[in-house]
Amino acid sequence: MSKAPGSDERTSVPHAADRHDLIRVHGARENNLKDVSIEIPKRRLTVFTGVSGSGKSSLVFDTVAAESQRLINETYSSFVQGFMPTLARPEVDVLEGLTTAIIVDQQRLGADPRSTVGTATDANAMLRILFSRLGKPHIGPPSAYSFNVPSVRASGAITVEKGAKKAVKATFERTGGMCTRCEGRGTVSDIDLTQLYDDSKSLDEGALTVPGYTTGGWNYRLYTESGLVDPAKPIRSYTKKELDAFLHHEPTRMKIAGINMTYEGLIPRIQKSFLAKDKEGMQPHIRAFVERAVTFTTCPECDGTRLAEGARASKIGRTSIADACAMQISDLAAWVRGLDEPSVAPLLTALQLTLDSFVEIGLGYLSLDRPAGTLSGGEAQRVKMIRHLGSSLTDVTYVFDEPTVGLHPHDIRRMNDLLLQLRDKGNTVLVVEHKPEAIAIADHVVDLGPGAGTAGGTICFEGTVEGLRASGTVTGRHLDDRASLKDAVREPTGVLEIRGASAHNLRDVDVDVPLGVLTVVTGVAGSGKSSLVHGSLPPGADVISVDQSPIRGSRRSNPATYTGLLDPIRKAFAKANGVKPALFSANSEGACPTCNGAGVLYTDLGMMAGTSSTCEDCEGKRFQASVLEHLLGGRDISEVLAMSVTEAEEFFGSGEAHTPAARRILARLADVGLGYLTLGQPLTTLSGGERQRLKLATHMGEKGGIYVLDEPTTGLHLADVEQLLGLLDRLVDSGKSVVVVEHHQAVMAHADWIIDLGPGAGHDGGRIVFEGTPAALVAARSTLTGEHLAEYVGA
């Protein structure tokens, strides 16, 4: 038989195009990476390990993924690039073999009030099409079921050019589904007038109690000298017309006290000046006023569904789109499966796949109308995953940032299956991870370290999981660590009673949380742990809550400014040199005038990517040259901000620079395992785990009897979990009560008392399935948590 031409070559020599099976990184120096060179296999699952701050994210996100995205952005026209995020070229000599990178990170989904789980995925769009085809009565196209589209009606004349010009009357109409009262938000804000003024007083007597409206100030004179109200008359004596002019008057230009000014009612004025701003960015006294004066209530017109009456009335069977979005997704999937309509069969199949993906990924307990801003970082990451599970793309690089965050050991197995599923479609999967269960499934492991910050940034090990175990690196040594159950547990000093807790999915739960001990609240994701701990503690309890909400801070913020450490440092410098403390702030008088204290110059290149370069005048030190002449203990302020927490603790501990207030804050930072952080490092460069521990260190200085922590092991390396357990023990031994929501078995084993919720998620959870000591939970093995903990401790 004759052979096809070239067949020998095909079997013996691989095609040139098949040789590119590695991503080659050479000379990576991003952040703390020390000239790292590495080869990452394509179409495999590679896990990056190492202590928090060792350089994992710098290598995976800031080098490989960032360059891939930058190169893709450069393929677009300059005009389109102007609307895209500007990405700087990473500090690396060579990057070869890159494929399109899709980053699935833990950044929260936008907190826009109109963004929900349904709108963040394709599920809502598909449901709207379904109802526009099958809903009875038929009310219009898919937009008629959207709470983000208002109804619009317009009429007028248009000129049609056909021979002689001719005017034609036309009407334009668009049917939207937005509730007109709450504008698709589901809630309406109400202002408590008693918090704005004292109606028993007149304006002359200082009736207004709004911050910034001091008697005699311009805000005050706007009303007293407008001539529209009588400033000498008590507000409760105003006529209806006067009260309307005072509270609701539309903006009007008029002369007040001889100056042209815009007069408007007090309520619209407060809405513009206070309510339009982000509450988190307000000064504390203004935020306190807004929290007192403004109440958010469910919209009475749409009953919180966000939808207009027509959209609520149109139904498939007995179910409206509002009912469908309010269902638990696992129930909605069952409802869609029961629809048999050949005319929309492809749509039903696609919707079914999306809803099943939610269930498969462990998010079946959510509903599509859940506001996107209320999801935790781990939930947000899994919602983003859903977009990619049904994707037809292959040969893509998927980059995950700790996908097991917020997952019970039972759910981690499902997550592992999904990561392998993505790999088996021919994709390269890169995962930054700490959990041994997730490291175990890797085809290839890259371990960074050996330490954190300046002590890290090198490759300690590359190879298989078995090779990592035998390697002797920090990760290898701790991979098989197992915390054992304590021989003796502490006795509680009292109890905190929670009665009738019914927040979210909790089912009228009664539980006594023991005080004076370490209590761990466990259960699968969505079982009701956070609802119990954060949403049901009795008001007035002496509680300090450290949750996972992100730290708000610009690139000017750093650990020194966030923790309040900079204040005692500035005062110490000022006292030693006989000058003002403001000189030692890079955000105030001491700032370098060229870069305004940023240390770098940001250049916006219009249509092209912007760049940042170190300021030549201050050489990145952020301060004026004259400020750097003032020394404390032989160091200037920029040298102090360049110190690590450990160095600074020693520096401020004795000698000329002895500053007890600074040392106390530094000791707390070292306590939570952040000794390697630089005092002046921008907050924007910190990892998720570092940010949470920075918050914990800040709160440790507060006076409070009960600490509530939400998964403090997030982002912690196996070796650091031991240090965290030591910290929790010290807090309890100092007389505090510590309540921890946690999935890490080492923390469960170390607890004095466990409260386990379940048995499932969503409406299958919300009940207490176990209360007692870890030893009793292991012995009973009556719950999912009990089974996994028993397996972990080898019982």
Side-chain angles (χ1 to χ4, degrees):
M1 251 178 91
S2 63
K3 290 182 181 177
S7 61
D8 282 336
E9 286 83 357
R10 274 206 299 277
T11 51
S12 56
V13 182
H15 193 286
D18 294 331
R19 291 181 198 145
H20 303 281
D21 53 1
L22 293 171
I23 296 173
R24 292 183 181 84
V25 181
H26 192 79
R29 296 176 299 281
E30 198 64 32
N31 298 329
N32 67 332
L33 295 178
K34 294 173 182 167
D35 216 25
V36 164
S37 296
I38 185 176
E39 293 186 340
I40 303 166
K42 285 189 188 173
R43 293 176 286 282
R44 296 290 181 272
L45 174 62
T46 302
V47 173
F48 293 79
T49 62
V51 296
S52 188
S54 59
K56 305 182 297 297
S57 295
S58 300
L59 177 59
V60 180
F61 289 93
D62 302 341
T63 304
V64 176
E67 180 64 355
S68 169
Q69 292 209 314
R70 192 185 70 80
L71 292 172
I72 289 166
N73 287 4
E74 283 191 352
T75 64
Y76 297 111
S77 68
S78 298
F79 176 75
V80 172
Q81 284 183 47
F83 297 100
M84 301 176 97
T86 54
L87 299 166
R89 187 188 294 271
E91 280 279 315
V92 61
D93 295 334
V94 180
L95 260 178
E96 289 179 341
L98 290 177
T99 68
T100 305
I102 293 175
I103 297 175
V104 189
D105 60 15
Q106 286 185 41
Q107 290 296 321
R108 303 287 178 109
L109 292 165
D112 186 285
R114 292 202 189 92
S115 177
T116 65
V117 168
T119 60
T121 57
D122 286 338
N124 229 322
M126 290 190 274
L127 263 183
R128 292 200 301 268
I129 298 169
L130 186 68
F131 273 85
S132 71
R133 301 287 188 276
L134 305 181
K136 297 280 191 305
H138 176 73
I139 58 164
S143 63
Y145 296 89
S146 170
F147 53 77
N148 286 330
V149 179
S151 291
V152 178
R153 286 178 184 81
S155 60
I158 58 170
T159 306
V160 182
E161 291 191 21
K162 282 186 181 173
K165 287 183 182 177
K166 186 170 135 189
V168 180
K169 277 202 168 178
T171 56
F172 168 78
E173 200 169 300
R174 181 182 66 192
T175 306
M178 180 187 284
C179 167
T180 51
R181 172 80 192 272
C182 64
E183 296 185 348
R185 288 183 171 87
T187 57
V188 287
S189 59
D190 214 2
I191 294 180
D192 181 356
L193 298 180
T194 61
Q195 299 293 335
L196 307 188
Y197 56 79
D198 180 349
D199 68 354
S200 66
K201 293 180 180 176
S202 68
L203 289 175
D204 283 346
E205 291 168 334
L208 293 184
T209 54
V210 181
Y213 285 66
T214 48
T215 313
W218 273 114
N219 282 333
Y220 215 94
R221 292 175 67 184
L222 190 70
Y223 297 100
T224 56
E225 300 183 25
S226 64
L228 295 174
V229 292
D230 182 352
K233 189 159 77 170
I235 294 176
R236 66 169 57 153
S237 305
Y238 281 6
T239 62
K240 193 176 177 190
K241 189 177 176 184
E242 278 180 312
L243 195 61
D244 193 70
F246 174 52
L247 292 178
H248 304 291
H249 202 286
E250 288 189 4
T252 310
R253 294 291 290 175
M254 59 170 69
K255 219 168 201 147
I256 298 173
I259 299 168
N260 282 328
M261 292 178 74
T262 300
Y263 176 91
E264 68 180 321
L266 186 62
I267 287 177
R269 195 171 165 82
I270 283 172
Q271 282 173 329
K272 281 179 192 166
S273 57
F274 293 136
L275 303 191
K277 293 177 183 168
D278 179 11
K279 207 160 71 172
E280 290 297 320
M282 293 176 178
Q283 293 169 287
H285 70 288
I286 304 244
R287 190 187 316 163
F289 162 73
V290 170
E291 283 169 353
R292 272 196 325 270
V294 183
T295 55
F296 290 92
T297 52
T298 302
C299 174
E301 202 157 298
C302 67
D303 200 22
T305 60
R306 306 160 176 252
L307 290 161
E309 192 183 344
R312 299 197 306 273
S314 177
K315 297 184 177 183
I316 299 175
R318 293 181 179 177
T319 304
S320 69
I321 191 166
D323 300 330
C325 289
M327 280 184 200
Q328 188 167 304
I329 289 173
S330 53
D331 296 340
L332 180 60
W335 179 76
V336 171
R337 204 173 278 115
L339 296 176
D340 182 21
E341 186 55 56
S343 63
V344 286
L347 176 66
L348 286 172
T349 307
L351 180 57
Q352 189 67 61
L353 274 171
T354 301
L355 297 174
D356 285 344
S357 296
F358 272 102
V359 177
E360 207 177 314
I361 211 163
L363 292 178
Y365 60 88
L366 295 178
S367 59
L368 294 183
D369 63 3
R370 168 90 175 258
T374 64
L375 299 179
S376 69
E379 285 171 334
Q381 180 166 234
R382 300 204 294 284
V383 165
K384 290 176 196 172
M385 258 186 104
I386 284 160
R387 299 174 189 168
H388 306 299
L389 288 173
S391 169
S392 307
L393 292 171
T394 62
D395 249 330
V396 171
T397 300
Y398 285 100
V399 186
F400 291 94
D401 183 12
E402 285 189 67
T404 60
V405 161
L407 288 185
H408 187 271
H410 170 71
D411 299 316
I412 289 176
R413 291 181 181 173
R414 290 202 286 192
M415 174 59 74
N416 284 348
D417 292 342
L418 291 167
L419 294 173
L420 294 170
Q421 201 177 308
L422 280 174
R423 177 203 66 185
D424 294 345
K425 279 174 70 176
N427 297 307
T428 306
V429 181
L430 309 182
V431 183
V432 172
E433 193 48 88
H434 292 293
K435 294 267 174 74
E437 304 98 313
I439 297 170
I441 63 161
D443 300 311
H444 189 72
V445 179
V446 178
D447 189 29
L448 283 100
T454 51
T458 60
I459 303 290
C460 298
F461 172 80
E462 271 186 88
T464 62
V465 178
E466 288 311 311
L468 176 67
R469 274 200 175 87
S471 67
T473 65
V474 178
T475 308
R477 288 200 305 274
H478 289 276
L479 198 58
D480 294 315
D481 275 7
R482 294 291 180 266
S484 53
L485 297 171
K486 290 198 286 196
D487 296 329
V489 294
R490 300 177 184 93
E491 286 299 317
T493 56
V495 294
L496 181 69
E497 292 184 358
I498 294 177
R499 294 290 176 266
S502 53
H504 299 125
N505 65 331
L506 293 177
R507 302 192 176 189
D508 206 22
V509 168
D510 294 339
V511 65
D512 290 335
V513 180
L515 298 177
V517 298
L518 174 58
T519 303
V520 175
V521 181
T522 61
V524 296
S527 59
K529 302 180 299 298
S530 294
S531 302
L532 181 69
V533 171
H534 293 298
S536 307
L537 286 176
D542 189 13
V543 172
I544 290 173
S545 181
V546 185
D547 61 14
Q548 288 194 31
S549 58
I551 288 175
R552 289 186 178 271
S554 67
R555 53 193 175 207
R556 285 180 171 277
S557 306
N558 53 48
T561 58
Y562 181 77
T563 58
L565 172 64
L566 200 57
D567 289 339
I569 292 177
R570 284 201 312 242
K571 284 174 187 164
F573 265 96
K575 191 177 174 187
N577 294 282
V579 292
K580 288 193 295 186
L583 280 177
F584 303 99
S585 169
N587 296 329
S588 187
E589 289 181 31
C592 162
T594 310
C595 62
N596 290 327
V600 289
L601 293 169
Y602 295 97
T603 311
D604 184 8
L605 300 176
M607 289 296 179
M608 293 186 290
T611 62
S612 63
S613 54
T614 304
C615 172
E616 289 180 8
D617 283 13
C618 67
E619 296 175 345
K621 292 179 178 177
R622 304 175 64 189
F623 294 91
Q624 297 173 23
S626 58
V627 173
L628 300 180
E629 290 169 12
H630 300 303
L631 304 179
L632 174 70
R635 302 285 187 99
D636 65 44
I637 184 71
S638 71
E639 288 172 322
V640 168
L641 289 175
M643 288 180 181
S644 70
V645 167
T646 312
E647 285 175 74
E649 193 180 359
E650 200 177 308
F651 178 72
F652 289 109
S654 57
E656 190 198 333
H658 181 60
T659 313
R663 197 164 184 276
R664 274 196 299 276
I665 297 171
L666 288 161
R668 289 200 294 268
L669 286 169
D671 237 5
V672 296
L674 294 178
Y676 60 89
L677 275 193
T678 308
L679 303 187
Q681 185 177 338
L683 284 187
T684 48
T685 64
L686 300 188
S687 69
E690 287 166 339
R691 289 177 199 177
Q692 173 147 347
R693 279 173 287 144
L694 186 61
K695 272 203 259 186
L696 177 57
T698 309
H699 285 299
M700 276 169 65
E702 296 175 14
K703 288 186 170 68
I706 304 168
Y707 278 80
V708 174
L709 309 181
D710 194 356
E711 289 187 64
T713 58
T714 298
L716 271 191
H717 186 264
L718 299 159
D720 298 327
V721 172
E722 211 171 305
Q723 186 178 358
L724 177 77
L725 293 175
L727 171 67
L728 297 179
D729 275 343
R730 287 197 297 282
L731 278 173
V732 175
D733 293 340
S734 69
K736 310 284 187 192
S737 304
V738 180
V739 181
V740 183
V741 173
E742 191 52 86
H743 293 292
H744 203 296
Q745 292 105 317
V747 182
M748 293 180 201
H750 200 73
D752 298 307
W753 192 257
I754 285 186
I755 297 171
D756 194 19
L757 281 105
H763 60 48
D764 296 327
R767 288 192 287 263
I768 304 283
V769 291
F770 177 84
E771 288 178 82
T773 62
L777 177 64
V778 167
R781 294 196 190 202
S782 55
T783 68
L784 277 172
T785 308
E787 284 172 28
H788 284 280
L789 185 57
E791 194 181 312
Y792 175 82
V793 298

